[in-house]
Amino acid sequence: MSYLSGFRNYHSTEALAGVLPIGQNSPQRCAFGLYAEQISGSAFTAPQGHNLRSWMYRIRPSVAHRADGDLVEFVNWVSQSDESNTQIAFDPLRWNPLAAVEGHWVESVRTLTIAGSASSQIGMSASIATLYEQQQPVLQNHDAEMLVMPISSSISLRTEFGVLDIGVGSLGVIPRSAFVELSTENTTQIYLLENYGSPFELPNRGAIGANGLANERDFEYPTASFVEQQTATWVIEKREGRFREFTLEHSPFDVLGWHGNHAPYRYDLRRFNTLGSISYDHPDPSIFTVLTSPSQTAGVANIDVVVFGDRWLVAENTFRPPWYHRNVMAEFMGLIYGTYDAKPNGFLPGGASLHNAGSPHGPDYDAFSKASASELTPHKLSGTLAFMFETSAPQRITHFAANATERQKDYVGCWKDIQPASQIIKEFNVPDNKSRNNKSTDSHNG
Ligand code: FE2
């Protein structure tokens, strides 16, 4: 399978020679009697650099790929953050890997956190789903651009634009309203991000320059391919968090050629050119941004997708793991494989955590103690791949997430052993944890 290279490049691809018109988009008669159809990813008047659209040449226009259907409920896929299905998250939260659940992948989606809502077209939802080998429904999601990352086995995305194979350690992005069919040869869980806001783009590199972080050429787009056997197809359509299902007498994957800059793509996160300090101090985690969905405010992301992969730690006289912090943004994290350096215990591949906007967090005490005492020789973090969905809106948790047996009820306990600064205790007679726990009224001392 070949791919087209380059983020938001203007790609052209044909499954059959002569499908694409030359010099225009919509001739009176398309080659082979095909139908021309434009799909846009931005308003028609969006400025250059943000204007997204593609032209497809297909057996039927997609208006023929609809049918009357029935509303269906998939209660654990949550796209509206109202009180009926979500609640406020005051404390840091963490979940063990979710158990696989029966059924097709759409009904297996379990949303953990949500910021904003599908109807507002701001924010995101973060979910985990189970994908089995059996035939899956085709999904058409009008609510969001979707980003998927398999956890234990590669998956394949068939779309109108062609097929993308997504290995463990890679991500795939599917445009809003595109038809997509997921498949796998081995059952796997997948992380699923719905981006309700602006489509993802690469972050501005600023002083970094023209190269680095996620490089444009490493984003790969599918070459045109279509389903030749036009068989009945089961479709689930999603709009404002509601679902409708119907059956088509044919396949929606009937595009023989397309051109444009708006299409699904994949990216191998191991190709991320990780930059960091070669002198001292830990940079802000924005240095690890792969993709960003900008908000209306310059410099503020609706969502940043951030990756923590293999890298060298060489900073001198520096506490090398992430520092303790309160972030004005909200942080959902997951782990594809390996160990995350700030949380060596309890944060597991396939698991997740939430540190909400302004919520204090940082290394657990074990990680702090070891990093404070370790010899600062160059050290390689290997075999690790963690990620973060960082949002400007606070993230609520679903009732499922709150009540799941996989939620670690004692997560905040990872900071319980934190000791007050020892020399200050001696110098100023500040009570240590032990005496403070025995005497609850002195919490405002010092
Ligand atoms: Fe953080």
Side-chain angles (χ1 to χ4, degrees), residues 1 3 105 131 136-139 146-150 153-167 170-175 178-185 188 190-192 220-223 225 227 253 263-267:
M1 193 181 300
Y3 289 87
W105 81 268
L131 181 63
Q136 301 287 326
V138 170
L139 178 71
M146 293 191 293
L147 184 152
V148 296
M149 288 181 285
S153 183
S154 61
I155 63 174
S156 185
L157 310 180
R158 173 168 281 285
T159 73
E160 296 154 279
F161 300 85
V163 178
L164 289 171
D165 285 334
I166 316 288
S170 292
L171 60 78
V173 172
I174 305 144
F179 291 96
V180 62
E181 183 179 46
L182 274 60
S183 61
T184 183
E185 291 180 357
T188 180
I190 55 176
Y191 289 107
L192 168 68
E220 295 177 303
Y221 290 73
T223 49
S225 69
V227 173
F253 304 118
Y265 56 85
R266 70 175 190 177
Y267 175 72

Side-chain angles (χ1 to χ4, degrees), residues 2-24:
S2 61
Y3 289 87
L4 305 164
S5 164
F7 189 76
R8 288 195 179 177
N9 275 6
Y10 206 99
H11 300 292
S12 292
T13 171
E14 294 179 326
L16 182 66
V19 162
L20 296 182
I22 304 295
Q24 68 176 129

